[in-house]
Amino acid sequence: MALGPTQRVFSAAKRLLSSLIANGETRLRLAVVELEEERSRLLVLLLLAGASLLLLLLGVATLVALVVVLFWDTYRLAAIGGSALVLIMASFTLAVIALRQAKQHTLLKETLNQLAADRALLEAKNESDQRPR
């Protein structure tokens, strides 16, 4: 049984809508997976950074105490000031490195790449459809 023009249009629109919904669902699932992976990665990163900072703090405190004790009789103020200066410079250096790392965009990178590829395919399809035959 042949479909009429109106039924064919509705059928095509229904297939198009179904395809768009399926594509959107796929992209949404990809975004959710990426967000879950990013959350897990950030949690591990925070735990490792916290433990590392704690151990670094203990190590630096011990080293500063050693330097101050070594120079107690002769240059105690210079030893304390020099240690403080080195620690402050190191903290500023690490802060600059952390700011550079924070500016790098990685969240939902693959999802954005897939959406850009989808858009490029649709634009190429539209251009090919608009060419005179």
Side-chain angles (χ1 to χ4, degrees):
M1 177 167 129
L3 298 176
T6 306
Q7 291 173 335
R8 283 186 284 177
V9 168
F10 282 133
S11 177
K14 185 178 177 182
R15 284 193 313 263
L16 177 64
L17 184 61
S18 175
S19 177
L20 287 174
I21 290 173
N23 194 7
E25 180 183 4
T26 302
R27 298 303 178 242
L28 185 61
R29 286 180 189 265
L30 178 62
V32 168
V33 167
E34 282 191 83
L35 285 172
E36 288 174 352
E37 287 177 357
E38 189 67 18
R39 184 186 66 189
S40 297
R41 188 185 71 81
L42 284 175
L43 180 62
V44 169
L45 183 64
L46 285 174
L47 289 173
L48 288 174
S52 175
L53 286 174
L54 181 64
L55 293 175
L56 179 65
L57 176 68
L58 292 172
V60 167
T62 305
L63 184 62
V64 167
L66 174 67
V67 168
V68 170
V69 168
L70 281 175
F71 293 104
W72 187 259
D73 292 334
T74 54
Y75 302 107
R76 78 177 137 230
L77 293 178
I80 292 170
S83 298
L85 183 64
V86 167
L87 292 173
I88 290 170
M89 294 305 291
S91 71
F92 281 134
T93 303
L94 291 176
V96 168
I97 292 170
L99 287 173
R100 285 184 186 161
Q101 289 291 327
K103 289 181 182 178
Q104 292 180 352
H105 176 71
T106 58
L107 186 63
L108 299 177
K109 185 177 182 179
E110 289 302 318
T111 299
L112 294 174
N113 288 341
Q114 287 296 321
L115 289 173
D118 290 347
R119 185 179 60 237
L121 286 174
L122 286 174
E123 288 172 356
K125 176 89 170 126
N126 287 339
E127 288 175 5
S128 67
D129 289 344
Q130 292 175 356
R131 289 186 194 151
R133 295 179 190 195

Short mmCIF file of all heavy atoms in Angstrom, two decimals, residues 8 14 27 51 55 71 74 76 79-80 88 93 95 98 102-103 107 118 120 129:
data_model
loop_
_atom_site.label_atom_id
_atom_site.label_comp_id
_atom_site.label_asym_id
_atom_site.label_seq_id
_atom_site.Cartn_x
_atom_site.Cartn_y
_atom_site.Cartn_z
N ARG A 8 4.01 10.49 3.96
CA ARG A 8 5.46 10.36 3.75
C ARG A 8 6.21 11.47 4.48
O ARG A 8 7.27 11.24 5.04
CB ARG A 8 5.79 10.38 2.26
CG ARG A 8 5.48 9.04 1.61
CD ARG A 8 5.93 9.03 0.21
NE ARG A 8 4.95 9.84 -0.55
CZ ARG A 8 5.02 10.11 -1.82
NH1 ARG A 8 6.02 9.69 -2.53
NH2 ARG A 8 4.09 10.83 -2.41
N LYS A 14 9.14 11.97 11.44
CA LYS A 14 9.24 11.08 12.61
C LYS A 14 10.60 10.40 12.65
O LYS A 14 11.23 10.31 13.70
CB LYS A 14 8.11 10.05 12.54
CG LYS A 14 8.04 9.17 13.75
CD LYS A 14 6.85 8.21 13.63
CE LYS A 14 6.81 7.28 14.81
NZ LYS A 14 5.72 6.32 14.70
N ARG A 27 25.20 11.69 22.68
CA ARG A 27 26.10 12.77 23.10
C ARG A 27 25.95 13.07 24.59
O ARG A 27 26.93 13.34 25.27
CB ARG A 27 25.84 14.05 22.29
CG ARG A 27 26.08 13.88 20.81
CD ARG A 27 27.50 13.42 20.52
NE ARG A 27 27.70 13.23 19.10
CZ ARG A 27 28.00 12.07 18.55
NH1 ARG A 27 28.14 10.99 19.29
NH2 ARG A 27 28.19 11.97 17.26
N ALA A 51 48.14 14.57 50.37
CA ALA A 51 49.16 13.76 51.03
C ALA A 51 50.55 14.28 50.69
O ALA A 51 51.43 14.36 51.57
CB ALA A 51 49.03 12.29 50.60
N LEU A 55 53.31 15.77 53.47
CA LEU A 55 54.67 15.25 53.59
C LEU A 55 55.70 16.33 53.26
O LEU A 55 56.76 16.41 53.91
CB LEU A 55 54.86 14.04 52.68
CG LEU A 55 54.06 12.80 53.09
CD1 LEU A 55 54.22 11.71 52.05
CD2 LEU A 55 54.47 12.31 54.46
N PHE A 71 73.12 26.90 62.17
CA PHE A 71 73.65 28.25 62.18
C PHE A 71 73.22 29.04 63.42
O PHE A 71 73.30 30.26 63.44
CB PHE A 71 73.21 29.00 60.92
CG PHE A 71 73.82 28.46 59.67
CD1 PHE A 71 73.08 27.67 58.81
CD2 PHE A 71 75.14 28.74 59.37
CE1 PHE A 71 73.64 27.17 57.65
CE2 PHE A 71 75.72 28.23 58.21
CZ PHE A 71 74.96 27.43 57.35
N THR A 74 76.08 31.37 64.99
CA THR A 74 76.72 32.41 64.19
C THR A 74 75.72 33.25 63.38
O THR A 74 75.75 34.48 63.47
CB THR A 74 77.73 31.78 63.22
OG1 THR A 74 77.08 30.78 62.47
CG2 THR A 74 78.91 31.19 63.98
N ARG A 76 72.06 32.92 63.01
CA ARG A 76 70.69 32.41 63.22
C ARG A 76 69.64 33.25 62.48
O ARG A 76 68.73 32.71 61.88
CB ARG A 76 70.39 32.26 64.69
CG ARG A 76 70.07 33.53 65.39
CD ARG A 76 69.71 33.32 66.85
NE ARG A 76 70.40 34.38 67.58
CZ ARG A 76 71.14 34.21 68.62
NH1 ARG A 76 71.29 33.03 69.13
NH2 ARG A 76 71.73 35.22 69.19
N ALA A 79 69.91 32.62 58.76
CA ALA A 79 69.40 31.28 58.43
C ALA A 79 67.88 31.26 58.42
O ALA A 79 67.25 30.69 57.51
CB ALA A 79 69.93 30.26 59.43
N ILE A 80 67.26 31.90 59.40
CA ILE A 80 65.79 31.95 59.45
C ILE A 80 65.25 32.77 58.27
O ILE A 80 64.31 32.35 57.58
CB ILE A 80 65.32 32.54 60.80
CG1 ILE A 80 65.66 31.57 61.94
CG2 ILE A 80 63.83 32.81 60.78
CD1 ILE A 80 65.47 32.15 63.32
N ILE A 88 59.07 31.14 50.51
CA ILE A 88 58.12 32.06 49.89
C ILE A 88 58.29 32.07 48.37
O ILE A 88 57.30 32.02 47.62
CB ILE A 88 58.28 33.48 50.47
CG1 ILE A 88 57.77 33.49 51.92
CG2 ILE A 88 57.54 34.52 49.64
CD1 ILE A 88 58.10 34.76 52.67
N THR A 93 56.30 30.33 42.96
CA THR A 93 56.56 29.58 41.74
C THR A 93 55.51 28.49 41.54
O THR A 93 54.96 28.32 40.44
CB THR A 93 57.96 28.95 41.79
OG1 THR A 93 58.93 29.99 41.99
CG2 THR A 93 58.28 28.20 40.51
N ALA A 95 52.51 28.46 42.79
CA ALA A 95 51.22 29.09 42.54
C ALA A 95 51.07 29.48 41.07
O ALA A 95 50.01 29.30 40.47
CB ALA A 95 51.06 30.33 43.43
N ALA A 98 50.46 26.32 39.14
CA ALA A 98 49.08 25.85 39.37
C ALA A 98 48.08 26.68 38.57
O ALA A 98 47.12 26.14 38.01
CB ALA A 98 48.75 25.92 40.86
N ALA A 102 45.51 25.32 35.76
CA ALA A 102 44.07 25.51 35.93
C ALA A 102 43.42 26.11 34.70
O ALA A 102 42.24 25.90 34.44
CB ALA A 102 43.80 26.38 37.15
N LYS A 103 44.19 26.86 33.90
CA LYS A 103 43.63 27.51 32.71
C LYS A 103 43.47 26.56 31.53
O LYS A 103 42.83 26.90 30.55
CB LYS A 103 44.50 28.70 32.32
CG LYS A 103 44.37 29.85 33.29
CD LYS A 103 45.21 31.02 32.86
CE LYS A 103 45.09 32.15 33.87
NZ LYS A 103 45.93 33.29 33.53
N LEU A 107 37.66 19.79 30.35
CA LEU A 107 36.35 19.30 30.72
C LEU A 107 35.47 19.13 29.48
O LEU A 107 35.34 20.05 28.68
CB LEU A 107 35.70 20.25 31.71
CG LEU A 107 34.37 19.81 32.31
CD1 LEU A 107 34.57 18.53 33.12
CD2 LEU A 107 33.80 20.88 33.20
N ASP A 118 29.73 16.55 14.44
CA ASP A 118 28.33 16.44 14.00
C ASP A 118 27.90 17.69 13.23
O ASP A 118 27.26 17.60 12.19
CB ASP A 118 27.39 16.24 15.20
CG ASP A 118 27.56 14.89 15.85
OD1 ASP A 118 28.19 14.00 15.24
OD2 ASP A 118 27.06 14.72 16.98
N ALA A 120 29.83 19.80 11.64
CA ALA A 120 30.53 19.85 10.35
C ALA A 120 29.86 18.91 9.35
O ALA A 120 29.71 19.26 8.17
CB ALA A 120 31.99 19.48 10.54
N ASP A 129 23.22 19.43 -0.39
CA ASP A 129 21.80 19.45 -0.75
C ASP A 129 21.42 20.73 -1.48
O ASP A 129 20.49 20.75 -2.29
CB ASP A 129 20.92 19.30 0.50
CG ASP A 129 20.98 17.91 1.08
OD1 ASP A 129 21.44 16.99 0.37
OD2 ASP A 129 20.57 17.74 2.25
#
